[in-house]
């Protein structure tokens, strides 16, 4: 009886609609009549609810579509090459690049310190911000505290990303590049101290032993005044503090989800970053020009790099002027095997019960699950 | 046999007789081809046709359908897809049973094939005018800011020139700045000539005006917020006017009239050091000239490059700007130029998206306004600026000449 029913329905199908019916060999279940009198799926065990949430819904969708028997499942061979390879050794190279530039910057600060004109000879340059806002003593400490908070937040966020290697590589490369540019601008023209309150350490004309000690002190104190390591003058254009504040904020914003809860986090970090930069100026520690140029260079470099990295269309295009920067060979070395824009996925280095962090990157989950097939 | 629609009444009755339907010849005496085609079953229910028909007109209607198919087949024999085509048309009524009701025919389906259109670059001189106004505003604003900053420059006795690495190595050369300005003027004249020979002048002019305007706007900001002292003791700054805005206006006008050049004697105000406007103009004209000229003119590119490089070097030789001014100017000019042209040449970057970071710049909306109708990379086509019919051009300089 079922057989005749099947024939009738097939006959209708051929006359009424123009469907292509293809049977695929790996189909384990027999063809069901469209009215769904018997459910072959009822024989299979129920799906587990805990993990593979998107797969579950897709199979449920399979069931729905199956009834009408008008879809074709084309099995794709799973590609063995991952499109977001880790390549920790490249991250190591980027780290060495950043470290090298930090040390060289420190050496440069020591050199430049000797060339800063004395306060009495060259008074501070006129600055519009300083004309309007008088100096506040505690401001620079606030900046450094905020900077440390942002760096710690970014570090925690970085640890919990899945594609740590790639993101870490980018951070180190950009930081190294920005410090390198800073070395150049500090060296070629030396600005005088921005304010009479600055106490510069005495100059050492040819005493290289002392200079090395200063370098070591600065590096170990991470260049912060709070630790008492930074008593040298001359590193004004452009401001390294602004670079760190802006860069950590840009990275925090870029590599975190975009949902409403996270927007609060973004706003907080943005406010912290802005406050930190404002406090640099409030403390009269840098000229306004230093801060503006630092912000400009940091943000442009960040956008430039990420546009080059995320737009595959640009990589082979002949009209890609972005390749004309001198560091494009370094870029292609680092990002050659990264074929996608890095999705926002979190994975804890230590396994935490997943109940509390159920699918945090909600807005990216659709994209993610289809990409990770 | 011509089309049914153009049949006369005689032809209709002749056809009826041929088909063996003489009973209708009398009733359909007044019917011509068109009326025949428009016969429906309703007509057979009314007099006079109801009297002569035996089957409600079914046979006749079927024959009319056959006629229609036949004529369509004869008329359209080249490549049109004919649905429900049944081969031998004059055969029996079974051929018409094709599942389509009410004689609804679809004899041919035309698949429109879009011809590949070459991208159209509409000139849109209005947008170019907006960009030009923007650039002029930025120039005037820069001049005003120079005049304001001049008042705040510390005198060279109080604040000596800052230590600069280049100045340590190279002593001052007096005539160097004149060389720089001459180079600048040569480059600008060459660029204007090249621009007038371009086919898509409007688009290129729009881009130039926008980029120049933005660069000068940035320059205003950097000049204003921190004032650097004069780079050398040789500078003769004109005296400060201290609030006398009439003489300030006069100074501004003089500067604009002289194009901001020292050669014309219009620029003896100090304070506009970071960053160097001369470097901006030299670099930008070179970048534009290289971009919008044929690739194989390598000698032209090298010539312009050397003019630009010599000009920039001479700025420093003359101790007229700090090294930092020149370096920052070069950096900002090149980055902005490449940024803008990458955005303009990639359609994917003209829309905001998650991966389009270039859309985060403040001038993105203005950019979209200017470049929204430019569909592709602007080709390097040249044409004569005026039609000189009287003159005889024997030697064609540019090979891609448009003869529109």
């Amino acid at each position: 009886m079922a057989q005749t029913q099947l024939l009738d329905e097939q006959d209708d199908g051929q006359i009424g609609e123009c469907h292509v019916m293809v049977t695929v060999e790996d189909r384990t279940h027999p063809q069901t009549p469209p009215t769904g009198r018997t459910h072959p799926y009822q024989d299979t065990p129920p799906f587990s609810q805990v993990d593979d949430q998107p797969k579950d819904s897709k199979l449920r969708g399979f069931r729905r579509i199956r009834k009408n028997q008008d879809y074709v499942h084309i099995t794709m061979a799973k590609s063995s090459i991952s499109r977001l390879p880790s390549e920790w050794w490249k991250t190591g190279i980027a780290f060495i690049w950043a470290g090298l530039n930090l040390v060289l910057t420190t050496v440069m600060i020591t050199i430049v310190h000797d060339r800063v004109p004395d306060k009495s000879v060259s008074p501070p340059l006129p600055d519009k911000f300083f004309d309007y806002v008088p100096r506040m003593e505690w401001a620079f400490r606030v900046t450094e505290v905020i900077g440390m908070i942002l760096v710690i937040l970014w570090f925690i966020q970085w640890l919990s990303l899945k594609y740590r290697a790639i993101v870490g590589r980018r951070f180190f490369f950009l930081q190294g590049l920005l410090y390198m540019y800073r070395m150049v601008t500090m060296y070629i023209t030396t600005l005088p101290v921005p304010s009479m309150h600055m106490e510069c350490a005495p100059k050492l004309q040819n005493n290289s032993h002392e200079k090395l000690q200063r370098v070591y002190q600065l590096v170990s104190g991470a260049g912060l005044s709070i630790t008492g390591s930074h008593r040298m003058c001359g590193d004004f254009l452009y401001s390294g503090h602004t670079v760190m504040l802006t860069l950590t904020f840009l990275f925090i914003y870029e590599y975190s989800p975009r949902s409403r809860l996270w927007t609060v986090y973004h706003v907080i970090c943005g406010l912290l970053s802005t406050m930190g930069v404002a406090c640099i100026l409030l403390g009269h520690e840098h000229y306004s020009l230093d801060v503006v140029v630092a912000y400009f260079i940091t943000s442009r470099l960040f956008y430039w790099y990420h546009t080059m990295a995320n737009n595959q269309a640009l990589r082979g295009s002949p009209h890609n002027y972005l390749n004309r920067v001198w560091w494009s060979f370094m870029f292609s070395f680092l990002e050659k095997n990264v074929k996608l824009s890095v999705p926002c996925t979190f994975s804890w280095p230590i396994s935490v019960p997943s109940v509390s962090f159920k699918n945090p990157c909600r807005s990216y989950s659709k994209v993610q699950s289809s990409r990770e097939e | 046999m011509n089309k049914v629609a153009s049949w006369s009444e005689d032809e209709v009755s002749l056809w009826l007789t041929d088909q063996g339907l003489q009973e209708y010849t009398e009733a359909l005496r007044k019917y011509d081809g068109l009326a025949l085609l428009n016969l429906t079953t309703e007509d057979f229910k009314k007099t006079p046709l109801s009297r002569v028909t035996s089957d409600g007109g079914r046979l006749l209607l079927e024959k009319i359908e056959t006629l229609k198919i036949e004529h369509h087949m004869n008329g359209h024999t080249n490549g049109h897809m004919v649905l429900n085509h049944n081969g031998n048309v004059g055969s029996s009524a079974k051929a018409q049973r094709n599942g389509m009701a009410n004689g609804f025919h679809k004899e041919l389906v035309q698949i429109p094939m879009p011809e590949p259109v070459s991208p159209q670059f509409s000139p849109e001189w209005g947008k170019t005018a907006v960009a030009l106004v923007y650039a002029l505003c930025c120039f005037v604003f820069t001049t005003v800011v120079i005049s304001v900053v001049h008042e705040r420059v510390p005198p060279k006795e109080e604040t000596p020139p800052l230590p600069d690495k280049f100045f340590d190595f190279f002593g001052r050369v007096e005539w160097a700045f004149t060389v720089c300005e001459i180079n600048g003027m040569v480059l600008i004249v060459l660029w204007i000539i090249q621009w007038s020979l371009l086919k898509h002048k409007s688009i290129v002019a729009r881009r130039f005006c926008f980029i120049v305007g933005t660069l000068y706007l940035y320059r205003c900001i950097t000049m204003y917020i921190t004032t650097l002292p004069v780079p050398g003791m040789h500078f003769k700054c004109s005296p400060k006017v201290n609030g006398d805005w009439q003489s300030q206006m006069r100074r501004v006008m003089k500067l604009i009239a002289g194009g901001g050049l020292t050669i014309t004697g219009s620029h003896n105000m100090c304070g506009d050091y970071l960053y160097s406007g001369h470097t901006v103009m030299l670099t930008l004209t070179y970048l534009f000239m290289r971009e919008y000229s044929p690739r194989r003119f390598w000698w032209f590119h090298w010539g312009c490059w050397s003019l630009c490089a010599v000009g920039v070097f001479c700025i420093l030789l003359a101790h007229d700007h700090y090294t930092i001014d020149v370096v920052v100017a070069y950096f900002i000019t090149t980055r902005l130029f490449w940024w803008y042209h990458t955005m303009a040449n990639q359609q994917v970057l003209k829309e905001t998206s998650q991966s389009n970071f270039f859309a985060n710049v403040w001038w993105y909306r203005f950019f979209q306004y200017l470049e929204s109708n430019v569909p592709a990379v602007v080709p390097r086509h040249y044409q004569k600026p005026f039609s000189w019919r009287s003159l005889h051009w024997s030697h064609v300089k540019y090979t891609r000449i448009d003869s529109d």
Side-chain angles (χ1 to χ4, degrees):
Chain A
M1 188 180 144
Q3 233 180 356
T4 49
Q5 270 180 342
L6 202 62
L7 276 171
D8 276 354
E9 276 140 1
Q10 273 189 345
D11 197 28
D12 273 299
Q14 270 169 7
I15 291 181
E17 313 140 79
C18 301
H19 278 301
V20 172
M21 298 229 279
V22 174
T23 51
V24 182
E25 285 81 50
D26 66 349
R27 189 63 65 228
T28 52
H29 308 283
Q31 270 192 345
T32 55
T35 47
R37 221 154 283 173
T38 55
H39 270 279
Y41 284 94
Q42 277 175 359
D43 304 330
T44 59
F47 294 102
S48 54
Q49 292 293 319
V50 173
D51 54 348
D52 295 336
Q53 196 177 339
K55 214 160 90 173
D56 187 26
S57 59
K58 225 199 292 180
L59 277 170
R60 269 195 239 119
F62 277 7
R63 267 189 243 158
R64 260 184 266 122
I65 299 174
R66 264 265 189 135
K67 283 186 202 166
N68 298 331
Q69 288 188 6
D70 52 6
Y71 82 98
V72 173
H73 186 237
I74 304 170
T75 46
M76 299 290 288
K78 214 170 173 74
S79 72
S80 52
I81 308 168
S82 161
R83 300 211 272 174
L84 291 164
S86 276
E87 290 178 319
W88 277 99
W89 60 279
K90 286 190 180 171
T91 309
I93 293 182
F95 179 70
I96 293 176
W97 158 257
L100 192 68
N101 276 313
L102 279 170
V103 169
L104 283 177
T105 305
T106 319
V107 170
M108 189 60 79
I109 294 178
T110 319
I111 295 176
V112 166
H113 174 78
D114 286 341
R115 293 172 49 208
V116 176
D118 198 49
K119 283 189 286 207
S120 50
V121 169
S122 232
L125 301 177
D127 190 290
K128 252 313 167 209
F129 191 89
F130 296 174
D131 292 344
Y132 292 140
V133 181
R135 179 172 181 253
M136 289 183 210
E137 296 225 4
W138 42 266
F140 201 56
R141 263 194 300 252
V142 171
T143 301
E144 300 208 319
V145 166
I146 290 179
M148 291 194 290
I149 293 175
L150 273 178
V151 167
I152 291 174
L153 280 176
W154 163 240
F155 187 66
I156 295 175
Q157 186 176 334
W158 174 72
L159 272 183
S160 49
L161 285 173
K162 182 172 177 197
Y163 298 103
R164 292 183 207 115
I166 301 177
V167 176
R169 196 186 307 165
R170 293 177 173 179
F171 183 76
F172 290 134
F173 175 70
L174 285 175
Q175 193 182 11
L177 195 63
L178 286 166
Y179 272 81
M180 200 179 90
Y181 283 165
R182 190 174 171 227
M183 257 192 338
V184 171
T185 58
M186 270 197 305
Y187 182 64
I188 50 181
T189 305
T190 319
L191 298 184
V193 293
S195 168
M196 299 302 279
H197 77 278
M198 290 192 93
E199 297 297 329
C200 302
K203 299 195 189 194
L204 310 155
Q205 292 310 341
N206 281 326
N207 195 345
S208 36
H209 178 68
E210 267 292 318
K211 284 189 186 177
L212 277 174
Q213 270 214 326
R214 275 188 183 167
V215 169
Y216 173 70
Q217 194 185 23
L218 192 56
V219 170
S220 55
L224 300 172
S225 301
I226 255 182
T227 56
S229 60
H230 194 21
R231 299 177 303 128
M232 289 191 277
C233 305
D235 60 330
F236 300 120
L237 208 142
Y238 49 87
S239 159
H241 287 80
T242 312
V243 166
M244 281 314 285
L245 288 165
T246 314
L247 198 64
T248 42
F249 170 65
L250 284 170
F251 267 92
I252 286 177
Y253 180 72
E254 175 59 23
Y255 293 103
S256 58
R258 297 271 184 272
S259 65
R260 217 172 295 158
L261 177 65
W262 286 86
T263 310
V264 177
Y265 175 60
H266 295 155
V267 166
I268 292 177
C269 287
L271 282 176
L272 275 178
S273 173
T274 318
M275 229 169 42
V277 170
C279 284
I280 299 179
L281 291 175
L282 274 179
H284 286 216
E285 287 281 330
H286 271 289
Y287 293 105
S288 334
L289 190 65
D290 309 341
V291 166
V292 165
V293 169
Y295 168 76
F296 185 86
I297 291 189
T298 310
S299 56
R300 293 309 182 254
L301 207 57
F302 180 86
Y303 294 149
W304 195 287
Y305 189 98
H306 279 79
T307 305
M308 277 168 85
N310 288 348
N311 283 312
Q312 294 299 321
L314 282 176
R315 291 203 195 176
S317 161
H319 301 292
N320 183 14
Y321 299 82
L322 303 182
N323 283 339
R324 296 193 189 176
V325 284
W326 67 272
W327 44 267
S328 63
F329 69 97
M330 290 196 248
F331 168 81
S332 39
F333 165 69
L334 289 176
E335 301 278 338
K336 196 166 37 173
N337 293 332
V338 177
K339 305 279 187 228
L340 300 172
S341 38
V342 175
C344 157
T345 343
F346 288 116
S347 82
W348 298 98
I350 351 163
S351 51
V352 173
S354 59
V355 177
S356 45
F357 294 103
K358 193 157 190 177
N359 206 6
C361 300
R362 240 173 290 129
S363 49
Y364 284 130
S365 58
K366 284 192 196 129
V367 174
Q368 218 167 287
S369 53
S370 63
R371 268 193 194 149
E372 289 179 335
E373 304 267 314
Chain B
M1 227 178 171
N2 53 359
K3 285 181 72 132
V4 185
S6 55
W7 279 358
S8 62
E9 290 135 1
D10 290 332
E11 288 176 14
V12 168
S13 54
L14 204 62
W15 175 76
L16 283 171
T17 318
D18 276 348
Q19 298 295 317
L21 298 168
Q22 293 92 330
E23 63 265 30
Y24 291 106
T25 45
E26 182 62 21
L28 297 179
R29 203 175 4 126
K30 291 282 184 338
Y31 278 65
D32 63 355
L34 261 175
L36 185 71
L37 287 174
N38 291 334
L39 276 176
T40 61
T41 41
E42 303 303 315
D43 297 327
F44 285 93
K45 295 200 178 117
K46 300 186 288 208
T47 57
L49 282 166
S50 56
R51 269 189 252 129
V52 288
T53 183
S54 53
D55 56 352
R58 200 167 54 101
L59 191 55
L60 177 57
L61 282 172
E62 280 165 10
K63 285 196 184 290
I64 295 175
E65 293 300 318
T66 315
L67 246 185
K68 284 189 196 166
I69 297 173
E70 198 183 283
H71 278 271
H72 260 283
M73 272 201 54
N74 285 342
H76 309 276
T77 47
N78 41 358
H80 285 228
M81 219 160 76
V82 177
L83 282 182
N84 311 318
H85 157 49
N86 289 323
N88 43 354
V89 185
S91 64
S92 55
K94 197 168 127 202
Q96 273 97 63
R97 210 181 294 274
N98 53 12
M100 293 290 197
N102 299 329
F104 185 67
H105 281 278
K106 264 195 193 152
E107 274 86 11
L108 66 94
V109 173
Q110 177 148 21
I111 304 170
M113 293 298 287
E115 286 119 28
V117 278
S118 54
Q120 295 299 318
F121 294 96
S122 50
E124 288 179 318
W125 283 99
K127 292 186 178 175
T128 308
V130 169
L132 185 66
V133 165
Y134 169 71
L136 288 175
C137 283
C138 290
F139 281 141
V140 170
F141 189 54
T142 307
T143 322
V144 170
V145 168
I146 292 180
S147 178
V148 166
V149 165
H150 175 80
E151 304 293 312
R152 293 170 49 208
V153 176
K156 33 186 203 215
E157 297 75 27
E158 263 179 42
T159 309
L162 301 176
D164 188 290
K165 250 320 165 202
F166 191 92
F167 297 174
D168 294 344
F169 292 142
F170 290 92
R172 179 169 184 253
V173 175
E174 295 237 1
W175 43 264
F177 206 62
T178 319
V179 170
C180 158
E181 298 207 319
I182 291 177
N183 277 3
M185 290 195 288
V186 167
L187 274 176
I188 289 183
V189 165
L190 281 177
W191 165 237
I192 290 180
I193 294 177
Q194 185 181 334
W195 174 76
S196 62
L197 287 168
L198 285 173
K199 183 176 177 205
H200 303 291
K201 292 187 193 58
S202 166
I203 300 175
V204 177
R206 199 184 307 164
R207 293 174 172 180
F208 187 79
C209 291
F210 174 73
I211 295 180
V212 150
T214 311
L215 286 171
Y216 271 79
L217 190 65
Y218 285 165
R219 193 179 169 221
C220 290
I221 298 174
T222 58
M223 272 197 302
Y224 184 64
I225 50 181
T226 304
T227 318
L228 297 185
V230 294
M233 300 304 280
H234 65 276
F235 267 85
K236 292 182 193 48
C237 304
S238 46
K240 305 193 183 184
V241 294
N242 288 333
D244 179 13
W245 65 272
Q246 269 172 339
S247 41
Q248 275 198 344
M249 287 305 290
R250 241 177 284 134
R251 266 201 317 220
V252 166
M253 303 303 270
K254 187 171 159 200
L255 190 57
I256 295 178
L261 299 172
T262 310
I263 252 185
T264 56
S266 61
H267 193 21
N268 39 24
M269 287 194 278
C270 303
D272 60 330
Y273 299 121
L274 210 138
Y275 49 85
S276 159
H278 286 82
T279 312
V280 165
M281 285 312 287
L282 286 165
T283 315
L284 197 64
T285 40
Y286 163 65
L287 285 170
F288 265 93
M289 282 203 282
R290 200 176 79 155
E291 178 60 23
Y292 293 102
S293 61
R295 285 262 184 265
R296 43 174 208 211
F297 279 17
W298 57 269
W299 44 271
F300 182 62
H301 297 159
W302 272 103
C304 294
W305 183 86
S306 47
L307 275 177
C308 171
V310 166
V312 168
F313 192 71
C314 284
I315 297 178
L316 291 175
L317 260 188
H319 288 211
D320 242 51
H321 271 289
Y322 293 104
T323 321
I324 186 89
D325 309 340
V326 165
V327 166
V328 170
Y330 168 78
F331 185 86
I332 292 188
T333 309
T334 46
R335 289 334 181 238
L336 190 61
F337 180 85
W338 291 333
W339 191 295
Y340 188 97
H341 278 79
T342 306
M343 279 214 291
N345 289 344
Q346 303 279 344
Q347 279 303 117
V348 70
L349 292 175
K350 286 191 190 173
E351 295 114 31
T352 47
S353 74
Q354 198 79 47
S355 61
N356 185 10
F357 296 84
F358 276 5
N360 292 337
V361 284
W362 64 271
W363 41 268
Y364 189 62
R365 291 246 177 252
F366 194 18
F367 163 80
Q368 275 184 318
Y369 164 70
L370 291 178
E371 298 279 336
S372 54
N373 288 338
V374 179
V377 179
V378 175
R380 292 188 200 89
H381 288 164
Y382 307 96
Q383 67 183 22
K384 295 186 279 222
F386 318 102
S387 60
W388 290 353
R389 262 177 257 202
S390 52
L391 276 121
H392 173 55
W393 287 99
S394 58
H395 175 53
V396 171
K397 267 194 183 167
Y398 293 103
T399 54
R400 293 201 198 104
I401 283 203
D402 231 43
S403 51
D404 298 345

